[in-house]
Amino acid sequence: MSSKPNWSHYEQALPEGTMVSSNALDDAEKGIYDNTSTLPVLATPPPAHIVDEKKALEAGVSTTDSGTVTPPSPAPAAPPPGPPVKKAPKPKPSKWILFQLWFNTYRKFFTFVTLLNLSGIILSALGRFPYAENHLGALVLGNLLMAVMMRNELFLRFLYLISIYGLRSWAPVCIKLAVTSILQHVGGIHSGCALSGAAWLVYKIVDIVKHRAVQHSSVIATGIITNVAVFISVMSAFPWIRNNYHNTFERHHRFIGWLGIAATWVFVITGNSYDFKTGEWRPEAQSLISVQELWFAVFITVFVLIPWVTLREVPVEVEIPSPKVAILKFKRGMQQGLLGRISRTSIMEYHAFGIISEGRKSGCHYMICGVQGDFTRNLVADPPKTVWTRELKFAGVGHASAMFKRGIRICTGTGIGAALSTCIQSPNWFLIWIGSDQEKTFGPTITSLIYNNIPPERMILWDSKKRGGRPDSVKLLKEVWHSFGAEVIFITSNRQGNDEMMQGCREAGLHAFGTLWDF
């Protein structure tokens, strides 16, 4: 038997290859999680009956709805040729389903946070919000602190930790789905709080300028600098700028944001050290330490610094199986569902990729970098020996898969990089991978990881080149959902594929979480 794998779920797994093992763990990861694969391994139901209709027709057989093959019947006389039959167009989803998918938890969070803060600004302007009159700075910095926390690696890992270990053994599926949706869409809180903090800051500066006769000029100047820096940082993160001009977004959001933090410190210290009633500076430190604004500024600074403290330049091996893909290999194993940010420089142009690993005790992990922009194109043209990365990894929504008893991970193309670890490390997850000529495109490393760790009854590898096109992904999901007994589906695909599957799953009543593009 040839050791070369066939990219189909009908074939048996490859003979076991050489497995790399190591007990090496990094300090940045120790103690944050234990192995999450402690759920009981459920008995695998009969696999979905997926029949290649083209081959069945060529062999002269037919199939029933249950997948049973019936003997061929005598061929009738061929009818006279007629006009070609057009395929019926797929029915469009209802407007209600489209609205539900559009007004998701992200937008709900964003709407709630911004309306709540807008109400506070209006009440303050009307003189009906006494707290705001005395603590405008606290409202500014409280919103900015929440915005920073919602994008902090350590804080998000903590949220996933308490959610996974707190819910997976007892909570009903509806609660797990709600918590997973919250974890996936906390970016709505980030965006809402950032925009609201900028709005409160504008309101505070207007208030200072109105009372400029009793304010020191340094307080006014630092307030204006802070306002401009925060405004530029927030505006640079708008989706159109972030998606089309990534480096512009990164420079302004990061470096102007850091300038805003520095200006905030000066603004807080000068604003609370100057007594506008007496027109004198208060030298005692006690009055400064007791103010809320100072502690908000402290925690903002701490949460911004935490990821950068774990920054390291690490060795990397680059495998280029095809001009479309670079496979990066790093030392030490990882838990499933994590993403890593890498760059060729220490502080610029970081890009996030899904992490593939056989587990915490494995000696290595991988990233699949599809060639799309300048950064990934240079990985193929000029493979690096080392890259910069944050050792504390970011938790993606796939990390929440440890909460569920059984699920489906469907992906297309390079989305396998974010999906594969879940199915490797958990025997209760089913892998569906749709792509073109996957073996040739992604090479032997990814091939071996799949066939050495996932049995054929737990995967469908659909090669659209060999099968003559893409499958009806929603139909495929429905069949696997019922035969495998899944509770949830995680989707990693491009925007078109993601929308198609999310709409189909919502219409069919399947619980699915798709790829999220921050809005």
Side-chain angles (χ1 to χ4, degrees):
M1 174 180 174
S2 172
S3 60
K4 182 179 179 181
N6 292 307
W7 289 82
S8 167
H9 67 294
Y10 300 114
E11 304 296 333
Q12 297 298 318
L14 287 176
E16 293 186 1
T18 304
M19 306 297 290
V20 182
S21 62
S22 173
N23 295 322
L25 298 174
D26 190 270
D27 291 338
E29 296 288 332
K30 287 180 181 177
I32 295 180
Y33 289 94
D34 295 318
N35 195 304
T36 58
S37 59
T38 56
L39 285 173
V41 178
L42 304 179
T44 304
H49 296 287
I50 311 298
V51 178
D52 192 322
E53 297 177 2
K54 183 178 178 182
K55 290 182 179 179
L57 290 172
E58 289 174 353
V61 300
S62 61
T63 60
T64 66
D65 291 339
S66 63
T68 306
V69 179
T70 59
S73 55
V85 180
K86 295 183 179 179
K87 290 184 179 180
K90 293 183 179 180
K92 293 183 179 180
S94 68
K95 292 182 179 179
W96 173 239
I97 287 178
L98 293 176
F99 175 77
Q100 286 180 304
L101 292 174
W102 178 82
F103 195 60
N104 57 14
T105 307
Y106 184 106
R107 286 190 168 92
K108 290 174 184 175
F109 276 144
F110 180 84
T111 302
F112 174 77
V113 169
T114 51
L115 289 180
L116 181 65
N117 279 277
L118 180 60
S119 300
I121 292 174
I122 293 173
L123 290 174
S124 179
L126 296 174
R128 297 183 180 181
F129 192 4
Y131 178 83
E133 294 177 11
N134 301 316
H135 299 283
L136 272 177
L139 289 167
V140 173
L141 296 177
N143 273 286
L144 296 181
L145 173 60
M146 186 62 68
V148 170
M149 288 172 62
M150 291 300 110
R151 279 291 184 257
N152 179 264
E153 287 87 339
L154 183 62
F155 182 73
L156 283 177
R157 292 287 291 274
F158 174 72
L159 290 183
Y160 275 91
L161 173 69
I162 60 176
S163 299
I164 291 171
Y165 287 98
L167 298 176
R168 67 179 182 178
S169 61
W170 66 270
V173 174
C174 60
I175 293 180
K176 294 178 181 179
L177 293 171
V179 171
T180 302
S181 183
I182 291 171
L183 292 172
Q184 183 187 26
H185 295 96
V186 291
I189 302 176
H190 166 80
S191 300
C193 286
L195 188 61
S196 299
W200 276 111
L201 186 57
V202 171
Y203 183 83
K204 180 174 176 62
I205 298 305
V206 171
D207 185 69
I208 289 176
V209 172
K210 283 173 60 179
H211 301 90
R212 61 186 178 277
V214 295
Q215 287 287 3
H216 196 276
S217 58
S218 62
V219 177
I220 299 174
T222 55
I224 293 174
I225 293 172
T226 303
N227 200 0
V228 171
V230 171
F231 183 77
I232 293 174
S233 182
V234 170
M235 292 298 293
S236 67
F238 270 59
W240 184 81
I241 297 175
R242 186 177 62 244
N243 295 331
N244 295 288
Y245 301 97
H246 179 82
N247 290 344
T248 300
F249 149 72
E250 198 168 13
R251 291 189 192 100
H252 290 78
H253 197 66
R254 178 171 301 152
F255 298 120
I256 302 297
W258 289 351
L259 174 62
I261 292 174
T264 298
W265 272 98
V266 178
F267 185 42
V268 169
I269 293 173
T270 55
N272 288 279
S273 298
Y274 182 74
D275 189 344
F276 63 88
K277 294 180 181 179
T278 63
E280 297 178 351
W281 295 97
R282 290 174 294 197
E284 64 274 12
Q286 186 63 34
S287 62
L288 184 61
I289 293 176
S290 62
V291 298
Q292 302 172 34
E293 290 87 346
L294 177 71
W295 293 105
F296 280 134
V298 168
F299 284 111
I300 288 173
T301 307
V302 169
F303 277 109
V304 168
L305 287 177
I306 283 174
W308 295 96
V309 170
T310 67
L311 186 66
R312 301 287 186 275
E313 187 178 16
V314 299
V316 62
E317 298 177 20
V318 181
E319 175 187 338
I320 305 173
S322 71
K324 300 178 181 179
V325 172
I327 311 294
L328 275 59
K329 179 180 178 181
F330 300 84
K331 294 180 179 179
R332 76 188 180 102
M334 292 280 181
Q335 281 199 324
Q336 61 84 28
L338 300 181
L339 293 88
R341 293 188 174 103
I342 60 171
S343 174
R344 285 183 181 258
T345 64
S346 56
I347 60 173
M348 270 300 297
E349 200 174 353
Y350 276 86
H351 297 263
F353 300 95
I355 292 174
I356 301 174
S357 177
E358 294 170 289
R360 287 285 298 273
K361 295 182 180 181
S362 174
C364 61
H365 65 273
Y366 302 88
M367 291 182 184
I368 296 179
C369 305
V371 174
Q372 292 179 335
D374 292 340
F375 178 80
T376 49
R377 194 175 295 112
N378 287 335
L379 291 177
V380 174
D382 182 23
K385 300 293 184 183
T386 63
V387 295
W388 288 87
T389 186
R390 301 174 190 178
E391 295 290 279
L392 183 59
K393 304 304 180 185
F394 195 83
V397 67
H399 199 53
S401 62
M403 273 196 288
F404 298 92
K405 293 180 180 178
R406 192 180 286 275
I408 302 170
R409 204 67 168 86
I410 184 169
C411 58
T412 60
T414 54
I416 189 68
L420 186 53
S421 272
T422 297
C423 300
I424 287 178
Q425 296 185 29
S426 173
N428 298 322
W429 278 77
F430 194 104
L431 174 66
I432 302 176
W433 184 20
I434 302 168
S436 176
D437 207 1
Q438 294 119 309
E439 179 186 354
K440 182 178 179 181
T441 302
F442 293 87
T445 297
I446 303 303
T447 303
S448 299
L449 283 169
I450 293 174
Y451 278 88
N452 286 339
N453 293 280
I454 305 176
E457 63 270 15
R458 261 202 312 118
M459 64 177 173
I460 295 174
L461 307 181
W462 186 285
D463 189 334
S464 58
K465 184 176 180 180
K466 293 180 180 178
R467 292 175 178 258
R470 294 167 62 91
D472 184 335
S473 53
V474 176
K475 180 181 178 183
L476 198 62
L477 284 170
K478 289 179 185 177
E479 292 174 344
V480 176
W481 174 276
H482 294 295
S483 65
F484 192 67
E487 294 180 333
V488 68
I489 299 168
F490 286 122
I491 301 167
T492 306
S493 182
N494 57 27
R495 192 179 293 270
Q496 180 181 352
N498 177 79
D499 290 347
E500 177 186 320
M501 286 185 268
M502 285 295 294
Q503 292 165 9
C505 287
R506 179 62 63 96
E507 198 163 14
L510 311 182
H511 309 306
F513 295 92
T515 307
L516 181 67
W517 292 268
D518 284 347
F519 307 100

